Amino acid sequence: MDTERQRKEAIVRRQETSFFWALIHVLGSLELAILLLATIALVCAVATVTESNFSTRVAQHYIYKAPWFNLWLTVLCVNLFAVALTRWPWQRKHLGFIVTHAGIILLLIGAMVGKEFGFEGSVTLNKGEPAKNRVTIPRTIFQVESPKDAAIYTHPLPVDVRPPSPEKAQVYPLPDTPVRLRVERYSEHLVQGTQLAPSRDGLPGLALRLSSGSLKRETMANLVLGSPETARFDFFGLALVEWVEGLSVPKPQKKAPDFFRETQMILAASPETPVVHNAGGAASGYRVLLEPDETEGRWKVTVVSPAGMQGSWPLPESLKKTRSLSGDPVEVVVEEFWPDFAMKEGKPVSLSAEARNPAVLVNLKGPRPESGAAANRPVFQLAPAGPDRVRYHMLRNGVVYGKGELAAGETMATGWADWQATIVKVLPQAALRPQVAESPDGEGTPGIFVRLIDRKKQEGEAQWIVSGTAQALEMNGEIIRIGFGQGVQVLPFWIRLDDFEVPRDEGTDTPSDFISTVTFEQPSTGRKLTATAHMNYPASFPGGFWRSCLGQNYKFSQASWNPENLNETTLQVLYDPGWPLKWFGSLMICLGIGIMFYFKPYSRKKPPAAGAPPEKIEKDETPVVV
Amino acid sequence: MKRLLLFSGWLSLFLAAPAHAVLESDAFARLAVQDKGRKKPYTTFARESLQMLAGKAEYPTPGEGKMSAVEAVTSLWLRPSDWEKRPVILINYLPLKEALGFPKEQKLFTYNQIVDQEAFRNLYAETQKLRKESANPTLNRMQKEVEQVAKRLGAFEGLVTGRAFAVVPHPSQPNGAWVTVDQAASYYPGGRAEKLQGIFADYREAFLAGKSGEAGKSVSALAAEAALLSPAVYPPARLLELEHFYQGIHPFRLAWIAYLSAAIALLATTAWKTAAGYRIGWVLVLAGFFLQVSGFVCRIVISGRAPVTNMYETVIWLAFGTVLFAIILEAIYRGRYFLLAAAPIAVVSLILADNTPTVLDSAIHPLVPVLRNNFWLSTHVTSITLSYAAFALALGLGHIVLGKIAFGKSGQNLAVLHQYVYRALQIGVLLLAMGTILGGVWANYSWGRFWDWDPKETWALIALLSYLVLLHGRVAGRWGGFGLAVGSVLCFQTVLMAWYGVNFVLGQGLHSYGFGSGGFRYVLMYVAAELVFVGVAVWKAKWAPGLKERPASEAEIAAG
């Protein structure tokens, strides 16, 4: 007890005599520890609510991954380190305490190492695609090519957490040039369209707006004379808008009927992937299904026309007989039926009479289905009629049912539901220019709206840059190329998807696992490895036990899939050199807490007798370690 | 002893209750159905289907008493036209009933009543649109409820069209899709299907004629014939029977009855026949614990995984853990309080699990792919939920301390109770730290990162930090044993947030397989009640000088 008292006195004394020890005792004070623990808990609670109300990226950007939060964690590290020092010289009873605190420090250092020297990203792979070595980092950036030496510079641009707006534009300096980049807008719904622009050697052009009040939709038709591609606008397949030199009524054409002849082979096990062979070229669009016949306990063949006409015939009675669909001229002949299909010596055979793997071969013959429908579509024909004026008429089946003249800015009803047409612009000499615009119906890709500015606040022309592309921007004769998109990390090896499987829960479509088989290839070492990544079991490259322990492996975990494309898989990529520190720190924390609570020499009073009323114990026994 | 006798009498009453349906349902237990990705006894299928449709285990028919789940579901199958006019689809959410113009008091509605409502169709179209736009849309409560009702409508359609009754096994693949009796010929040509269909026709006839004896025989024959068609694929009879047994005896219900009796016995004998009451309490707690363990064993055998995969299972697991730690600590300290603290908590959680089927779904479903790993399930999830259990025990002990202060006489010495609270907190902190770290290691493999501030991760950390503040504050002398008791109640609210709140309130993040809805108002009421209780106790402690705690003195620190 005497040495114990001496130790305590020494600890008190050194704080009075040495500034270093006084500082250590302040930094390692319990008060500071409690303050840190409580504030971190509180901040985290606020962050989860922020995440729920805004988005994960916002919570990460402003709180979890913000510099001040990291600073706070660093202060926690310092506090943990200092508090361990305050107990110096350590004694046996401090073992658990030291191990725990050192474990937390190691864990936090591991996290910082991982953040600084490792990376997290994702890569989407498709079966049959060439190998990739580029991984997407979940962070948006812009890249600029230096006008001096064509070197590429990358700068973070967190548009998804801090979207720029015309009022809150973001200005970034560019390397090797006095002009700067101003990011004015961010949109997630950009689509590629066209724009009607004056052109000295162009032909007459028309910009027409079609809008529907009840559907709250509008669409632009930008047309230029010269070719059917630029002078025609297909209105959702329901009608046709034509921009012509002069109005005319086309004679109803008598085309020679276009016939097709098609063979389809269908396995009942994979109804979505028929083997189609069409003698005339493109597939006819008829669907053939092989299904169990509910009433007879047999199988039946069903043929569905593109227009939705349907016919079903039982097997094997309908074999080799010509059948047709009601209201459709197609002829259907079921050539073969194999109840238990297999390929033997290159020939299809049935292994048995039992319906284990039914398959069917069907021949289809008939006129091409599209030719009939298109002729009935209404046609809205417009022709130039002097400056800013057009003449129009509406046709159906070669009959004019409405006509008139419109000036720019005027609107007319089309007679197609409540759609209205507005003449926006008529140009005597025009050309179509590709143009990126925001889509009104919430589809498309992300992009930024930027322009160059100089010190005198002069502005260059603004442009959209779609994610994953680059644009040349001009200012005072200087041309600067700017790219925008997700950050990219280049791996020192290549990865290719060999196979992707999605096993399902029995009798349902619910996935029970996702299994990607990938091949890694490292040209520099010649190392090649085929591995599988499935849920909970990542694929590692270059692989090996020690690399895994030391965090030197690239880990590919199954991250997501595309239910509509089963050849596509997305893998999460992790390279984390901080891993051993995290792992070892974690182990120390658990061990340390265990030692602290359960393997500590502290004097316990004799336990109270069984069932005795506990009120007899006088002293608060809650142990306190110092 | 008298008490024990009384209790066993009570038990047998309980077991006897469903006896009237035994004959037929036993025959049905051997008939397997492939449903929602799993093969299960027809009895379970019926119970889950009715639970899904009506939120009830039995269907109340006006004037005719109650229909068992098997009766109701079989009737839906074989006599579908009867059900056009029977209200069987549950709508539980008041604003939805208001939106559809339905009476507030009514809970069950007919299929046509709902489907004919244009308002419902519009609401459903809205959720479908959101689902189309994004893979993980954020739905509000109304939209979630609408989807739930749509699921019930779908389940109803599956039953009345007979589509849901996939009782004919796949001929070869263990994971292949099963078909209905009508479609049997597609798998079993050459007369084998006809035999099965013949037996089924007999059954249908007997059922429609109301001859229950013959119907029972036909069901047994049907099950035997179906098993014979594909013996390798058909689940073994003993597994089907085990599940039927498990569903029939309600082990967790029996367990809460035992725990409740234990709590009553312990409370009633605090001042009278103390030793005898203590012994009875022990016996009852051990009996309840044994029942719970048996229930878990059944569930593990049936599902083939650790029983901690959804909210229902974790609530039961919490009761189990709380009692487990109470038994261990009580065996060491013999202070009576551990049992007294644990029993009410176990009772409350087991009653909740037993009686809120729409919030806590007791059905065994296949797991989402990421959870299909027994190693991580049985390390990470069990240690996390066991830590919640230890904190719940600390909460119970804290309640005893605060209760004694708020309602007891002054001048008591509660030091030993404070130590008990501390013991429970220690277990919780160790397990929560371990569980959270194990979660990080698991996430490193399954999601490809150790820690990324997912809401569940973050709230586990917040809970851990709040308990660390509690323990460090104690070391710093900011508060004493009374502070620990107050803290054990307050900090448990962070556990509640990590456990219930993230899944049911925030509904964000990667732990999405546990998400659900319902019960929010009651949880809020509980939290408010706890705060009031703590407030009263603190106020009382301040005003009654005899009770006032002092922080640990320098001398005590030196002694430590």
Side-chain angles (χ1 to χ4, degrees), chain B residues 144-200:
Chain B
K144 283 183 195 164
E145 293 288 335
V146 166
E147 283 202 328
Q148 195 57 36
V149 173
K151 267 190 200 163
R152 291 187 184 123
L153 293 172
F156 180 86
E157 287 164 10
L159 293 173
V160 293
T161 56
R163 219 167 44 217
F165 297 85
V167 294
V168 180
H170 191 276
S172 54
Q173 294 163 16
N175 273 345
W178 290 26
V179 293
T180 60
V181 175
D182 290 345
Q183 300 163 337
S186 63
Y187 281 166
Y188 302 98
R192 293 177 78 193
E194 277 76 2
K195 190 174 172 203
L196 186 84
Q197 283 162 343
I199 299 172
F200 178 68

Side-chain angles (χ1 to χ4, degrees), chain B residues 514-528:
Chain B
F515 290 179
S517 63
F520 183 49
R521 206 185 324 155
Y522 299 99
V523 172
L524 271 188
M525 273 154 61
Y526 160 77
V527 172

Side-chain angles (χ1 to χ4, degrees), chain B residues 25-48:
Chain B
S25 80
D26 274 356
F28 269 118
R30 285 194 172 216
L31 182 65
V33 186
Q34 188 186 52
D35 171 53
K36 298 191 186 75
R38 190 168 82 84
K39 301 186 251 295
K40 50 184 87 158
Y42 186 88
T43 45
T44 304
F45 165 74
R47 205 180 65 98
E48 288 178 5

Side-chain angles (χ1 to χ4, degrees), chain A residues 105-386:
Chain A
I105 295 174
L106 269 189
L107 181 66
L108 288 172
I109 292 176
M112 284 170 199
V113 168
K115 201 176 151 231
E116 210 50 46
F117 302 103
F119 72 90
E120 283 170 29
S122 67
V123 60
T124 298
L125 300 169
N126 272 283
K127 219 155 87 182
E129 255 184 15
K132 282 186 178 173
N133 71 338
R134 295 161 83 83
V135 170
T136 311
I137 306 292
R139 188 183 65 175
T140 45
I141 51 147
F142 76 84
Q143 284 186 322
V144 55
E145 195 184 285
S146 158
K148 204 169 84 187
D149 52 8
I152 305 274
Y153 294 85
T154 300
H155 196 285
L157 185 68
V159 277
D160 47 350
V161 288
R162 211 152 51 90
S165 64
E167 299 79 38
K168 277 190 183 170
Q170 298 166 14
V171 177
Y172 297 91
L174 300 176
D176 304 323
T177 169
V179 300
R180 292 178 296 167
L181 181 73
R182 192 162 79 191
V183 185
E184 298 180 354
R185 278 166 76 191
Y186 169 68
S187 168
E188 289 182 339
H189 314 292
L190 295 181
V191 282
Q192 193 76 43
T194 55
Q195 187 191 19
L196 192 71
S199 162
R200 214 168 293 164
D201 48 0
L203 292 164
L206 166 73
L208 183 75
R209 182 167 56 233
L210 294 156
S211 55
S212 160
S214 67
L215 295 175
K216 294 196 181 66
R217 282 190 69 158
E218 66 172 51
T219 178
M220 281 299 297
N222 293 312
L223 304 167
V224 174
L225 285 180
S227 85
E229 283 88 59
T230 61
R232 277 180 170 198
F233 177 75
D234 188 339
F235 184 70
F236 306 116
L238 302 171
L240 193 66
V241 179
E242 273 185 332
W243 175 235
V244 292
E245 235 176 307
L247 298 180
S248 68
V249 181
K251 282 183 199 132
Q253 287 177 345
K254 273 260 165 86
K255 257 205 304 189
D258 183 10
F259 275 96
F260 76 93
R261 195 182 282 276
E262 189 172 273
T263 311
Q264 291 202 21
M265 158 117 190
I266 293 91
L267 282 148
S270 55
E272 294 306 317
T273 52
V275 182
V276 178
H277 175 75
N278 192 305
S284 65
Y286 282 85
R287 281 194 65 196
V288 182
L289 304 162
L290 178 58
E291 296 163 325
D293 193 336
E294 282 172 27
T295 51
E296 310 221 345
R298 304 276 186 77
W299 289 80
K300 64 175 181 191
V301 161
T302 304
V303 176
V304 187
S305 79
M309 291 302 173
Q310 194 172 333
S312 284
W313 304 281
L315 290 169
E317 295 90 321
S318 309
L319 269 178
K320 312 267 184 201
K321 288 181 186 148
T322 304
R323 307 282 180 182
S324 60
L325 296 177
S326 59
D328 194 298
V330 75
E331 285 174 11
V332 181
V333 180
V334 183
E335 288 291 339
E336 294 276 2
F337 173 61
W338 302 274
D340 192 0
F341 176 83
M343 290 299 282
K344 249 190 182 168
E345 290 157 9
K347 287 194 181 116
V349 293
S350 189
L351 295 175
S352 70
E354 284 186 41
R356 293 220 178 93
N357 185 20
V360 74
L361 186 77
V362 176
N363 276 332
L364 298 161
K365 198 174 90 178
R368 284 213 174 268
E370 298 91 344
S371 48
N376 302 338
R377 287 198 299 178
V379 178
F380 181 20
Q381 236 181 30
L382 301 107

Side-chain angles (χ1 to χ4, degrees), chain B residues 237-254:
Chain B
R238 60 190 149 69
L239 200 62
L240 292 172
E241 270 163 12
L242 176 74
E243 180 159 359
H244 176 55
F245 169 77
Y246 164 75
Q247 304 281 10
I249 61 162
H250 297 284
F252 302 121
R253 187 178 298 165
L254 297 180

Side-chain angles (χ1 to χ4, degrees), chain B residues 11-188:
Chain B
L11 271 188
S12 58
L13 251 179
F14 219 83
L15 285 166
H20 64 275
V22 158
L23 209 160
E24 208 184 352
S25 80
D26 274 356
F28 269 118
R30 285 194 172 216
L31 182 65
V33 186
Q34 188 186 52
D35 171 53
K36 298 191 186 75
R38 190 168 82 84
K39 301 186 251 295
K40 50 184 87 158
Y42 186 88
T43 45
T44 304
F45 165 74
R47 205 180 65 98
E48 288 178 5
S49 299
L50 189 63
Q51 199 80 264
M52 165 85 195
L53 283 185
K56 287 187 165 70
E58 289 178 317
Y59 180 69
T61 46
E64 297 167 46
K66 282 183 175 174
M67 258 181 173
S68 75
V70 167
E71 282 167 348
V73 167
T74 311
S75 161
L76 275 159
W77 184 15
L78 300 178
R79 216 178 281 169
S81 54
D82 279 14
W83 290 84
E84 273 174 23
K85 296 229 172 71
R86 280 197 178 135
V88 67
I89 292 164
L90 174 72
I91 300 184
N92 216 3
Y93 186 54
L94 204 61
L96 178 57
K97 283 191 233 182
E98 278 165 10
L100 300 181
F102 288 164
K104 271 189 215 167
E105 323 72 50
Q106 202 177 335
K107 284 195 163 172
L108 299 179
F109 302 87
T110 70
Y111 175 81
N112 286 336
Q113 246 179 317
I114 302 170
V115 174
D116 290 347
Q117 283 283 334
E118 202 186 335
F120 181 80
R121 292 201 300 270
N122 289 342
L123 282 168
Y124 184 59
E126 210 174 279
T127 64
Q128 288 305 94
K129 197 171 155 239
L130 288 172
R131 291 248 170 241
K132 221 178 136 192
E133 279 167 11
S134 120
N136 281 319
T138 31
L139 301 181
N140 60 31
R141 177 82 196 271
M142 180 70 135
Q143 289 159 338
K144 283 183 195 164
E145 293 288 335
V146 166
E147 283 202 328
Q148 195 57 36
V149 173
K151 267 190 200 163
R152 291 187 184 123
L153 293 172
F156 180 86
E157 287 164 10
L159 293 173
V160 293
T161 56
R163 219 167 44 217
F165 297 85
V167 294
V168 180
H170 191 276
S172 54
Q173 294 163 16
N175 273 345
W178 290 26
V179 293
T180 60
V181 175
D182 290 345
Q183 300 163 337
S186 63
Y187 281 166
Y188 302 98

